[in-house]
Amino acid sequence: MGPKTAKVYETIRTRLASGEYAPGDKMPSERALVEELGIGRTALRQVLARLVAEGALEVRGRSSYRVPGGVSVNTPEGLEPWRIHGERDVYDNRWVKLQLWDVEPPGVARFEHHVVKLHHVAITAVLDDQDRVLMMWRYRFVPQQWGWEVPGGIVDDEEDPADTALREVVEETGWRPKSVEHIVTYQPMVGMVDSPHEIFVGHGAEQVGSPTDLEEAGHIEWVSLTDIQGLMARGELMASGTLVALLHILASRGNPGLTAAH
């Protein structure tokens, strides 16, 4: 990708990140983009193909592109949330807090419900231009099992999660992405545990040194996306953040290998 093509790529990515092209929007036609951005059609298609491969765009019909994320289902209305009458700590330290909440669901008698509060974390799947993801082979002593994971860690107080995502990749792998894109925030055990997980996808990583977090590092490898379903079948992708990030990437590409095992 030459300098001019790379500039057009960055221009479109910036528009996507800023919301100028919003989720569900149809992209301008190839002819309109060629005229506006001053680029040849062949080079433009190279840019668009890369954005599709990264999950930033979807192909809809011949030479028609759309921003992912548009939905047709409406948000239900008229439903009441649970009432929270109070809470009390049962156990609290720097890693975990256990509480009892006095709650009242609509039409149900009040009762106490356990709530576990854990840290806010950021997790990043870093992709290269060969459709590989940067992963670590780690031993987890709680399930007493080895598995593949993408980098991630705790968001410090007042730290931007995107900064956490970059920092953790460097500390745990020695690679630094040129950019990270926020994909989703989710809760891994939403019925009882409060631990916001921020998922990012990174691109354009360069090796800047060796891992500094030796407890986390383990073995580091660039793993082909074509191997992800096989690793899932072998039970080697245990961490929920890793699964959410990788499944997002595969789904956004319309991955034909992401099917039920026979």
Side-chain angles (χ1 to χ4, degrees):
M1 186 177 287
K4 188 171 185 178
T5 307
K7 183 178 180 180
V8 169
Y9 166 81
E10 292 296 340
T11 297
I12 296 178
R13 281 206 67 91
T14 299
R15 292 179 180 181
L16 291 166
S18 68
E20 182 176 342
Y21 299 147
D25 282 356
K26 184 178 179 180
M27 290 288 291
S29 68
E30 288 186 355
R31 176 179 295 180
L33 289 172
V34 164
E35 293 177 356
E36 178 194 356
L37 301 174
I39 188 174
R41 188 171 295 241
T42 299
L44 175 65
R45 287 178 175 172
Q46 181 183 1
V47 170
L48 295 174
R50 178 175 175 182
L51 291 167
V52 169
E54 293 172 353
L57 291 178
E58 297 175 341
V59 179
R60 297 291 181 91
R62 182 177 176 83
S63 301
S64 178
Y65 300 87
R66 189 178 300 272
V67 183
V71 296
S72 59
V73 63
N74 295 322
T75 301
E77 298 180 355
L79 301 176
E80 296 182 14
W82 290 23
R83 295 183 63 187
I84 301 172
H85 297 282
E87 59 188 57
R88 60 187 176 92
D89 292 348
V90 177
Y91 175 81
D92 187 10
N93 72 9
R94 60 177 294 204
W95 299 109
V96 59
K97 177 185 288 188
L98 174 62
Q99 297 180 312
L100 278 171
W101 287 23
D102 179 2
V103 298
E104 182 182 2
V108 179
R110 289 166 59 172
F111 63 94
E112 283 194 319
H113 194 294
H114 284 91
V115 174
V116 179
K117 287 185 172 287
L118 303 177
H119 285 288
H120 182 190
V121 300
I123 298 158
T124 309
V126 182
L127 296 170
D128 68 4
D129 57 5
Q130 300 179 52
D131 282 346
R132 300 181 302 177
V133 60
L134 183 61
M135 302 193 75
M136 304 176 297
W137 178 248
R138 296 195 56 194
Y139 183 74
R140 290 296 188 178
F141 73 90
V142 175
Q144 300 180 41
Q145 191 172 337
W146 290 92
W148 292 100
E149 298 180 17
V150 298
I154 295 170
V155 179
D156 292 337
D157 291 341
E158 300 184 2
E159 183 179 29
D160 187 318
D163 293 335
T164 306
L166 285 168
R167 173 173 56 78
E168 290 291 338
V169 173
V170 175
E171 291 178 358
E172 295 184 0
T173 71
W175 290 79
R176 179 187 294 277
K178 292 182 180 178
S179 65
V180 293
E181 176 187 4
H182 182 262
I183 299 303
V184 67
T185 301
Y186 81 100
Q187 292 275 5
M189 295 180 63
V190 71
M192 184 178 290
V193 177
D194 179 22
S195 177
H197 281 43
E198 311 270 5
I199 303 299
F200 294 84
V201 174
H203 301 281
E206 58 179 355
Q207 193 165 18
V208 295
S210 299
T212 57
D213 192 339
L214 299 181
E215 177 186 341
E216 302 282 352
H219 170 78
I220 299 163
E221 187 167 334
W222 288 94
V223 176
S224 172
L225 290 176
T226 59
D227 288 333
I228 297 306
Q229 188 175 6
L231 296 178
M232 290 173 61
R234 291 198 329 215
E236 294 180 1
L237 301 178
M238 296 180 291
S240 64
T242 293
L243 283 165
V244 169
L246 295 177
L247 289 174
H248 165 82
I249 292 168
L250 295 180
S252 66
R253 298 181 176 208
N255 190 294
L258 194 59
T259 57
H262 295 285

